[in-house]
Amino acid sequence: MDLDRPVDELIFFVNGKKVIEKNADPKMTLLTYLRRKLGLPGTKLGCGEGGCGACTVMISRYNEFKAKIEHYSANACLAPVCSLHQCAVTTVEGIGSTKTRLHPVQERIAKSHGSQCGFCTPGIVMSMYSLLRNNPEPTMEEIETTFQGNLCRCTGYRPILQGFKTFSKDGCCGKKTANGCCMNGKEEAATPISSALFDPTEFKPLDPTQEVIFPPELLTHKARQMKQIYFKEGSVMWIQPSDLNELLTLKSKYPEARLVVGNTEVGIETKFKNLHYPVIISPGWVSELNAIEHTQEGICFGAACTLTTVAEVLTKAVADLPLYKTEVFRAVLEQLRWFAGHQIRNVAAIGGNIMTASPISDLNPVFMASGSKLNLISIESKRSVLMDGNFFTGYRKTLVEPQEILLSVEIPFSRKWEYFSAFKQATRREDDIAIVTSGMRVLFNAESHQVAQVQLSYGGMAPVTVLATSTCKELIGRDWDDDLLQDACRLLAQEMTLSPSAPGGMVEFRQTLTLSFFYKFYLTVLKKLALDLKGKNNVEKIPPSYESATELFHNPYPTGAQLFQEVPVGEDDEDVVGKPLMHLSAMKQATGEAVYCDDIPHYENELYLALISSTKAHANIISVDTAEAECSPGFVCSLFAKDIPGSNITGILHDETIFADNVVTCVGHIIGAIVADTQEHAQRAAKLVKISYEVLTPVVTIQEAIENKSFYQPIKTMENGNLQRGLEEADHIHEGEIHIGGQEHFYLETNCAIAVPKGEDGEMELFVSTQNTTKTQSFAASAVGVPYNKIVVRVKRMGGGFGGKESRSTILSSAVAVAAAKTGRPVRCMLDRDEDMLLTGGRHPYVGRYKVGFTKNGRVTALEVSYYANAGNSQDLSHGIMDRTLFHMTNTYKIPNIKGTGYLCKTNLPSNTAFRGFGGPQGMLVAECWINDIAQTCGLPADHVRKLNLYKEGDLTHFNQRLEQFTLPRCWDECLRNANYHKRRLSVEEFNRQNRWKKRGIAIIPTKFGISFTLTQLNQAGALIHIYTDGSVLLTHGGTEMGQGLHTKMIQVASKALGIPPSKIFISESSTNTVPNASPTAASVSSDLNGMAIYNACHKILKRLEPYKLSNPGGTWESWVAAAYVDRVSLSATGFYKTPDIGYDPVKNEGNASSYFSYGVACSEVEIDCLTGDHKNLRTDIVMDVGTSLNPAIDIGQIEGAFVQGMGLFTLEEMRYSPDGFLYTRGPGMYKIPAFGDIPSEFNVSLLRDCPNSKAIYSSKAVGEPPLFLSASIFFAVKDAITSARAESNITGLFQLDSPATPERIRNACIDNFTKLCPVAKPGTFKPWAVTV
């Protein structure tokens, strides 16, 4: 086998064009190849680990073993380009374009408002396209399954599903009105109401005959004549053997070589764990590894069979075989339902899943408990082993010898009287790594309920998959009854123990799950036994209230209605304000043509920057050694504090440095940077920099900050009334506390910056993904030592922001500017997802402590509340965030006597920052906690106590601002009515009476959100309008587009103001050389401020055009513009606006803190699984006051997106830190944002009618942040359900549920006999794996 020969050519097709790569690099992914080599930027980098789906493409190949062409979706960020020999790749650019024709998939996601920031859109389009290539009329279930590997942070998913529902054969949402289908229906009302945000009859039909054909060349005999393929680049070889003999010879020669089929594990190891594999063998062409054989004992799968193939074969077997034979198959299928994402299942091999030996594998416990047979082979020998307790020899190690390979896996049939179940619990149901998994098998003596054999296997309870051998031994020969259950649980609790410091944490939860899973298995088997024994043997019957514990998790397909006020009949057709206009970039986003920062073509001579960051939370820097980095390929220069030409001081309050100077104050603190010729070279060199530290004691948690009195000054207070008197008037005084976790922004596009020096006068152009052009400009100017006018910052669009790019984006852009200034060449950097999550901070974690006085009928008389926010290692925007917390500490409730105190904790975490809601949600969640406690203490319905304490029209807030146009009572009543709240409350109680292990909860929550920047000077905006002589309009304003539809709304405003169609108006970008000193795009006020500035500029133009309109009333816009130009009248105007009557005096506690308030109410119902902590969001109804909507489609999209993001904050997303301040959750693998399957099964949004707002452009209202807090209705519905579960164990009274309400917190709060068997070690007696910061 000659590997000294020349490398082979890699031949594949991309979008129908043949690609011949003579120097294929085994380390290069398909994503890098597409973007860098082929110039196809439509496929996006979102995470680099196959967890977000932004990089999804379709791969097509002729499958020799199935004798057919296969089309499947895959993650381009994981697929090695070398794996694509003789394949065809289709990217988003290959299926349609705005220049030619859009594919129906692209058209429908755009027109159904399913694209906001658009960064995830190409991946979602390609997932749907791949599904349709295989099945032009999919079911709704298939559509949902196909998106299990795709994430979206903007839309809340509903519009994507609704748009793609039109491809389905069962496409109606099922929601009917009196007029039939909800899509046609218009309710009869005084004001015309519509629920149609788009018209499906406009959609182009799907024509499968028009799709890109599979390249005929790949079907020819020549292409299918497999010979060994060999690629090499640097120190890495890629070998693709053509047959088994070649494979075994290679494995004998290179015993340490890694076998790669889907690269879903090795890709992660090389990228994130810095592992190096010099020899990679790709056995995908070996026929024996792809063979599927039906044997006497079961079905034997070749080790290279993909999980999708395994699922297809087992599904057919379950349909064809007797039920008793398929117990194990059904368990495998249940695990595969929730195994990773669709794209991963399409490429990951069953053998790879076994051989990676993950201790939390979803499938290995099933294979172990079922006694699956593994066939191993080497050049010398062949052997079969059972997957039993001896197979895994240590963490990620097996008994397979280095020269051996796993040839095949035989999954056995089950026998008569044998029962099998599999379980998995994760933070999120879809595409999530397991916390605990299990496979359980029991065989009974024939016609009896006496145990003959039993196997209980667990993942997540040790460094390897384990069998509960001691427990199983004790159960053999026993009857399957309650005595066995009690003994099994006691034995399992003793056998399945974890150290309190165990990696992964969640020790109590994991131990409880081992018992919960067995109990579910016990009940399931009891149910099946009763049926099979037909009443013989006196088998115990399951009480009806326990039945639901045996049900498999199922979510019905989402439905819903979106109601908004139609524009009155007879209004000018060209007036688009108030109409559901599509996001103006949606089509470009759906075709991959929309340009994001890193999509800008590379400049000649461009360099790449990689950051060097601290691995310690608090330390003095002793030395920095760059010698090895300087010798690495492509190295250009290193940058440290001493290399900064201007000032190293930066930050909102000038308390930060661009590069650390002698001391680091968090893990991720930027110490310096490496500049090199490519991204790979820069990142490799940065890893070679050696830093030695003198470690200092860090302050990581809020509790540690309190103990060390580590606070930023000043401590903030806000008070009104007489607190002491209020407490004396109270019948009850209650004290409580809640911890609210932080949240990662998880914008799909990570931070990115390109700096282009202009070569004279210190001029520089910066292309940055930022919400804040002004601070980006001023910080970069300060760093390179030039005045602001030498720096131009340009922003086309962002792939999401949510506050995360308001100030923290500057830590990257300033470093890139310094690099460009030093080298005199363009410099680029786009952070990898793990870097972005580590460096940029997130939402502030809070502790809220409250003391509330109230009467016995539930009216609040006094409130004292203290907030502690974990601000991190700099002040950033934390003071403004705490101000907003204090402004929102009453939410919507009138409290006559109140005092709030805010402490900003100075800790050694990366600086936390702005995030949608800006401190408001934390303040309001604490308020809803004490309202809930009052209701429970008084024995009153929570909705009654909430309504009793609501503000009224004309009331003064605790900061002495009068409430005018107070629409909250209308929102409240309408939400109660729409949600049918009182009737459903009774249904929930009835459900809970009938079910012991599933409980439902329902809650209705209001919100009041103040609209303005809390810093008065920021409430201003500018705009610039140019009218060209053809009548076209170029519009620029100070806001940036991050998916929220700001540019679309601003074009609607300008269109109405000028009286011309929106097609004549264009916004190119936001930049500091067109609108200077712009406030950040934040605080939900961008439409208000920029809309008024545009209105102002338009009216200047109209005034100048007025004489020409009067002299030629029958003329056209173009003729008036031409006449003005001939007359030498300026056709350019600036506009400006500052919010009037605003400004709060904290000393006097008076003045208007906000221009106005946005109001909303949400009612949510959930169902929890008391045994596992899982929960389902059954239904949400929202009523939101957005004034007179500028664009109902965009506003409803913002409401749904904010709600789902808030749902993540309150129920899913958990940032986990080590006691030393190291962030564990640095990618979608460990950090879970809501997925498609998490949204409420019924999701209804209604915009309040007839509520014009006199304080904003065209009577509209802000909508970006206010709806987010409404998702607290899910949190309190969960708490309501837990209360019912605790009552079953005779535990009543108040309890603390911290946020987020993860499965761990839900399960641990549902105290029962199982939790009592799993005692917890006392805090302080051990070092935990993770701490609550």
mmCIF file of all heavy atoms in Angstrom, residues 249-269:
data_model
loop_
_atom_site.group_PDB
_atom_site.id
_atom_site.type_symbol
_atom_site.label_atom_id
_atom_site.label_comp_id
_atom_site.label_asym_id
_atom_site.label_seq_id
_atom_site.Cartn_x
_atom_site.Cartn_y
_atom_site.Cartn_z
ATOM 1 N N THR A 249 -5.688 -3.481 6.747
ATOM 2 C CA THR A 249 -4.243 -3.299 6.556
ATOM 3 C C THR A 249 -3.815 -1.924 7.079
ATOM 4 O O THR A 249 -2.794 -1.792 7.757
ATOM 5 C CB THR A 249 -3.883 -3.440 5.057
ATOM 6 O OG1 THR A 249 -4.413 -4.670 4.578
ATOM 7 C CG2 THR A 249 -2.382 -3.398 4.843
ATOM 8 N N LEU A 250 -4.610 -0.917 6.753
ATOM 9 C CA LEU A 250 -4.307 0.445 7.224
ATOM 10 C C LEU A 250 -4.348 0.516 8.749
ATOM 11 O O LEU A 250 -3.494 1.136 9.389
ATOM 12 C CB LEU A 250 -5.318 1.441 6.646
ATOM 13 C CG LEU A 250 -5.120 1.864 5.188
ATOM 14 C CD1 LEU A 250 -6.367 2.562 4.662
ATOM 15 C CD2 LEU A 250 -3.904 2.767 5.038
ATOM 16 N N LYS A 251 -5.362 -0.130 9.358
ATOM 17 C CA LYS A 251 -5.516 -0.071 10.809
ATOM 18 C C LYS A 251 -4.367 -0.815 11.493
ATOM 19 O O LYS A 251 -3.968 -0.465 12.600
ATOM 20 C CB LYS A 251 -6.880 -0.665 11.213
ATOM 21 C CG LYS A 251 -7.308 -0.293 12.628
ATOM 22 C CD LYS A 251 -7.669 1.171 12.797
ATOM 23 C CE LYS A 251 -8.312 1.475 14.126
ATOM 24 N NZ LYS A 251 -7.472 2.080 15.138
ATOM 25 N N SER A 252 -3.843 -1.833 10.804
ATOM 26 C CA SER A 252 -2.698 -2.561 11.337
ATOM 27 C C SER A 252 -1.441 -1.689 11.275
ATOM 28 O O SER A 252 -0.638 -1.649 12.200
ATOM 29 C CB SER A 252 -2.502 -3.841 10.524
ATOM 30 O OG SER A 252 -1.300 -4.451 10.871
ATOM 31 N N LYS A 253 -1.313 -0.939 10.174
ATOM 32 C CA LYS A 253 -0.134 -0.085 9.984
ATOM 33 C C LYS A 253 -0.213 1.166 10.863
ATOM 34 O O LYS A 253 0.793 1.645 11.384
ATOM 35 C CB LYS A 253 -0.038 0.312 8.502
ATOM 36 C CG LYS A 253 1.228 1.077 8.163
ATOM 37 C CD LYS A 253 1.313 1.334 6.662
ATOM 38 C CE LYS A 253 2.575 2.114 6.333
ATOM 39 N NZ LYS A 253 2.703 2.389 4.894
ATOM 40 N N TYR A 254 -1.447 1.703 11.013
ATOM 41 C CA TYR A 254 -1.653 2.929 11.812
ATOM 42 C C TYR A 254 -2.674 2.642 12.916
ATOM 43 O O TYR A 254 -3.827 3.060 12.836
ATOM 44 C CB TYR A 254 -2.184 4.075 10.943
ATOM 45 C CG TYR A 254 -1.308 4.412 9.757
ATOM 46 C CD1 TYR A 254 -1.724 4.070 8.467
ATOM 47 C CD2 TYR A 254 -0.111 5.092 9.922
ATOM 48 C CE1 TYR A 254 -0.939 4.396 7.365
ATOM 49 C CE2 TYR A 254 0.681 5.415 8.831
ATOM 50 C CZ TYR A 254 0.261 5.061 7.554
ATOM 51 O OH TYR A 254 1.041 5.380 6.480
ATOM 52 N N PRO A 255 -2.278 1.882 13.961
ATOM 53 C CA PRO A 255 -3.280 1.484 14.972
ATOM 54 C C PRO A 255 -3.920 2.661 15.706
ATOM 55 O O PRO A 255 -5.033 2.548 16.202
ATOM 56 C CB PRO A 255 -2.482 0.592 15.937
ATOM 57 C CG PRO A 255 -1.043 0.849 15.638
ATOM 58 C CD PRO A 255 -0.945 1.306 14.232
ATOM 59 N N GLU A 256 -3.231 3.811 15.759
ATOM 60 C CA GLU A 256 -3.794 4.970 16.463
ATOM 61 C C GLU A 256 -4.648 5.850 15.557
ATOM 62 O O GLU A 256 -5.157 6.892 15.990
ATOM 63 C CB GLU A 256 -2.662 5.815 17.083
ATOM 64 C CG GLU A 256 -1.825 5.079 18.121
ATOM 65 C CD GLU A 256 -2.669 4.436 19.213
ATOM 66 O OE1 GLU A 256 -3.585 5.116 19.730
ATOM 67 O OE2 GLU A 256 -2.430 3.254 19.539
ATOM 68 N N ALA A 257 -4.781 5.473 14.284
ATOM 69 C CA ALA A 257 -5.574 6.291 13.350
ATOM 70 C C ALA A 257 -7.029 6.345 13.803
ATOM 71 O O ALA A 257 -7.557 5.376 14.366
ATOM 72 C CB ALA A 257 -5.494 5.688 11.951
ATOM 73 N N ARG A 258 -7.674 7.480 13.546
ATOM 74 C CA ARG A 258 -9.100 7.615 13.866
ATOM 75 C C ARG A 258 -9.929 7.268 12.642
ATOM 76 O O ARG A 258 -9.630 7.722 11.527
ATOM 77 C CB ARG A 258 -9.426 9.048 14.301
ATOM 78 C CG ARG A 258 -8.908 9.442 15.664
ATOM 79 C CD ARG A 258 -9.341 8.517 16.795
ATOM 80 N NE ARG A 258 -10.763 8.513 17.049
ATOM 81 C CZ ARG A 258 -11.349 9.150 18.058
ATOM 82 N NH1 ARG A 258 -10.627 9.832 18.925
ATOM 83 N NH2 ARG A 258 -12.642 9.098 18.235
ATOM 84 N N LEU A 259 -10.982 6.474 12.857
ATOM 85 C CA LEU A 259 -11.941 6.186 11.790
ATOM 86 C C LEU A 259 -13.036 7.250 11.838
ATOM 87 O O LEU A 259 -13.594 7.515 12.905
ATOM 88 C CB LEU A 259 -12.559 4.796 11.975
ATOM 89 C CG LEU A 259 -11.852 3.654 11.237
ATOM 90 C CD1 LEU A 259 -10.444 3.462 11.743
ATOM 91 C CD2 LEU A 259 -12.647 2.354 11.358
ATOM 92 N N VAL A 260 -13.312 7.854 10.684
ATOM 93 C CA VAL A 260 -14.270 8.949 10.634
ATOM 94 C C VAL A 260 -15.329 8.659 9.577
ATOM 95 O O VAL A 260 -14.994 8.391 8.418
ATOM 96 C CB VAL A 260 -13.546 10.282 10.302
ATOM 97 C CG1 VAL A 260 -14.541 11.344 9.875
ATOM 98 C CG2 VAL A 260 -12.756 10.769 11.502
ATOM 99 N N VAL A 261 -16.595 8.685 9.996
ATOM 100 C CA VAL A 261 -17.697 8.560 9.035
ATOM 101 C C VAL A 261 -18.410 9.918 8.917
ATOM 102 O O VAL A 261 -18.412 10.562 7.884
ATOM 103 C CB VAL A 261 -18.696 7.450 9.436
ATOM 104 C CG1 VAL A 261 -19.870 7.414 8.460
ATOM 105 C CG2 VAL A 261 -17.988 6.105 9.458
ATOM 106 N N GLY A 262 -18.969 10.394 10.034
ATOM 107 C CA GLY A 262 -19.694 11.673 9.997
ATOM 108 C C GLY A 262 -18.882 12.838 10.513
ATOM 109 O O GLY A 262 -19.268 13.991 10.354
ATOM 110 N N ASN A 263 -17.754 12.551 11.175
ATOM 111 C CA ASN A 263 -16.882 13.583 11.771
ATOM 112 C C ASN A 263 -17.595 14.398 12.834
ATOM 113 O O ASN A 263 -17.181 15.496 13.178
ATOM 114 C CB ASN A 263 -16.324 14.527 10.691
ATOM 115 C CG ASN A 263 -15.071 15.259 11.162
ATOM 116 O OD1 ASN A 263 -14.175 14.650 11.731
ATOM 117 N ND2 ASN A 263 -15.014 16.553 10.952
ATOM 118 N N THR A 264 -18.682 13.858 13.379
ATOM 119 C CA THR A 264 -19.447 14.627 14.371
ATOM 120 C C THR A 264 -18.764 14.620 15.730
ATOM 121 O O THR A 264 -19.079 15.451 16.572
ATOM 122 C CB THR A 264 -20.873 14.060 14.506
ATOM 123 O OG1 THR A 264 -20.790 12.670 14.820
ATOM 124 C CG2 THR A 264 -21.643 14.224 13.207
ATOM 125 N N GLU A 265 -17.819 13.691 15.947
ATOM 126 C CA GLU A 265 -17.076 13.665 17.215
ATOM 127 C C GLU A 265 -15.650 14.164 17.008
ATOM 128 O O GLU A 265 -15.192 15.050 17.715
ATOM 129 C CB GLU A 265 -17.061 12.240 17.781
ATOM 130 C CG GLU A 265 -16.412 12.109 19.143
ATOM 131 C CD GLU A 265 -17.208 12.789 20.255
ATOM 132 O OE1 GLU A 265 -18.440 12.920 20.114
ATOM 133 O OE2 GLU A 265 -16.598 13.197 21.258
ATOM 134 N N VAL A 266 -14.954 13.620 15.999
ATOM 135 C CA VAL A 266 -13.561 14.015 15.757
ATOM 136 C C VAL A 266 -13.489 15.504 15.394
ATOM 137 O O VAL A 266 -12.572 16.213 15.809
ATOM 138 C CB VAL A 266 -12.931 13.136 14.654
ATOM 139 C CG1 VAL A 266 -11.570 13.667 14.226
ATOM 140 C CG2 VAL A 266 -12.797 11.703 15.165
ATOM 141 N N GLY A 267 -14.475 15.988 14.652
ATOM 142 C CA GLY A 267 -14.510 17.410 14.302
ATOM 143 C C GLY A 267 -14.533 18.299 15.534
ATOM 144 O O GLY A 267 -13.864 19.331 15.599
ATOM 145 N N ILE A 268 -15.305 17.878 16.548
ATOM 146 C CA ILE A 268 -15.389 18.629 17.811
ATOM 147 C C ILE A 268 -14.062 18.529 18.563
ATOM 148 O O ILE A 268 -13.558 19.502 19.103
ATOM 149 C CB ILE A 268 -16.531 18.062 18.701
ATOM 150 C CG1 ILE A 268 -17.885 18.117 17.975
ATOM 151 C CG2 ILE A 268 -16.592 18.773 20.043
ATOM 152 C CD1 ILE A 268 -18.449 19.472 17.767
ATOM 153 N N GLU A 269 -13.480 17.311 18.575
ATOM 154 C CA GLU A 269 -12.240 17.097 19.338
ATOM 155 C C GLU A 269 -11.088 17.927 18.780
ATOM 156 O O GLU A 269 -10.301 18.504 19.530
ATOM 157 C CB GLU A 269 -11.864 15.609 19.311
ATOM 158 C CG GLU A 269 -12.799 14.747 20.133
ATOM 159 C CD GLU A 269 -12.458 13.266 20.046
ATOM 160 O OE1 GLU A 269 -11.804 12.848 19.064
ATOM 161 O OE2 GLU A 269 -12.865 12.527 20.946
#
